Amino acid sequence: MAQSSEATYGRWIVRAISVAVCLVAWQAASVFHINLGIITFANVPPPTDVFAAAIEFARSPKVFAHVTTSLMRVFSGYAIAAVIGIGIGLAIGRSRRASDLLSPPLELLRPIPAVAWIPLAVLMFPSSELSMIYITFLGAVFPILLNTVHGVENVDPRLVASARSLGGTRNAILREVILPGAAPSIVTGLAVGMGTSWFCLITAEMISGQFGIGYFTWESYTLQNYADIVVGMVLIGVLGMGSSYLLRRIGAALTPWHTPEELRR
């Protein structure tokens, strides 16, 4: 147990050193305006300026509105994507007819990037708020759907045949064999989908609005507040990482037969 704790502390020390080295390299590159030819740090704010801007942003009366607005948009789009992605994924994975019917249009839509949907989203929805939720929905739905299909298709057919031979109904097989077997892959899709939802947030909040972390980041760019741009980026990264970590923990609790011991602790 003691050796395990020492190993854990050692890993955290290595991670802290890694982050510190990156910050020092960033500070040096920005302060000395390092120009590598194809990339320059002449206009990149150093970490010290970003930290000061973060303190100023935290004191702003608008910080609560920015964060809660973005959280509402991301989780609204993500929740809809989870329901639709898992539902359609189970249907495609279990039924050849559903696969023939649904897979072609989905495969046609899947490569289209979220930014390409912005003009059509503005035309499709009566409010900009719904348009932004739709963009975050697009970011999450395809990873969830594909991982669900992959999980269902990889359930051992011998388990399904055994359940059927024991008199299991279609619903019972789905509930007691298919879903537990596909659950690890579905959890992976949910975690990836959460990350891509945050990835699409800036794209969504470029449409319009007055609040949101993506809007704050884009507004900082137009006003040339370079340090605030990085503050918005870091905040999105922290919220996205925290959301994905929370999902992995929930997934580990729901699928203990598949999760490594380290993640269950």
Side-chain angles (χ1 to χ4, degrees), residues 13-24:
I13 290 173
V14 171
R15 292 168 183 174
I17 292 174
S18 173
V19 173
V21 168
C22 290
L23 290 175
V24 169

Side-chain angles (χ1 to χ4, degrees), residues 210-230:
Q210 296 181 334
F211 294 103
I213 304 169
Y215 172 78
F216 167 78
T217 305
W218 186 250
E219 181 189 42
S220 302
Y221 169 73
T222 58
L223 297 176
Q224 298 184 344
N225 294 330
Y226 299 135
D228 284 344
I229 296 174
V230 184

Side-chain angles (χ1 to χ4, degrees), residues 29-119:
S30 298
V31 169
F32 296 107
H33 303 303
I34 291 178
N35 188 344
L36 300 177
I38 58 174
I39 183 172
T40 176
F41 288 83
N43 296 316
V44 176
T48 48
D49 289 358
V50 174
F51 183 74
I55 297 295
E56 189 68 25
F57 178 67
R59 292 174 176 171
S60 168
K62 293 184 177 180
V63 62
F64 182 76
H66 282 307
V67 173
T68 55
T69 300
S70 289
L71 287 173
M72 186 277 296
R73 289 168 181 158
V74 166
F75 286 116
S76 297
Y78 179 80
I80 299 170
V83 172
I84 293 178
I86 293 175
I88 295 178
L90 289 172
I92 292 176
R94 291 287 292 157
S95 168
R96 184 175 299 175
R97 183 173 298 176
S99 177
D100 292 339
L101 184 65
L102 298 174
S103 293
L106 290 173
E107 285 299 316
L108 185 66
L109 296 174
R110 187 167 62 89
I112 302 174
V115 67
W117 280 94
I118 291 179

Side-chain angles (χ1 to χ4, degrees), residues 73 127-129 131-132 203-211 215:
R73 289 168 181 158
S127 70
S128 59
E129 196 66 33
S131 302
M132 288 184 269
T203 302
E205 292 182 341
M206 283 169 57
I207 296 175
S208 64
Q210 296 181 334
F211 294 103
Y215 172 78

Side-chain angles (χ1 to χ4, degrees), residues 116-125 131 134:
W117 280 94
I118 291 179
L120 193 58
V122 172
L123 297 175
M124 288 168 57
F125 295 96
S131 302
Y134 177 66

Side-chain angles (χ1 to χ4, degrees), residues 155-156 159-161 163 171-182:
V155 173
D156 192 337
L159 295 176
V160 178
N171 287 336
I173 292 173
L174 175 64
R175 188 175 60 254
E176 299 177 15
V177 179
I178 301 297
L179 280 176

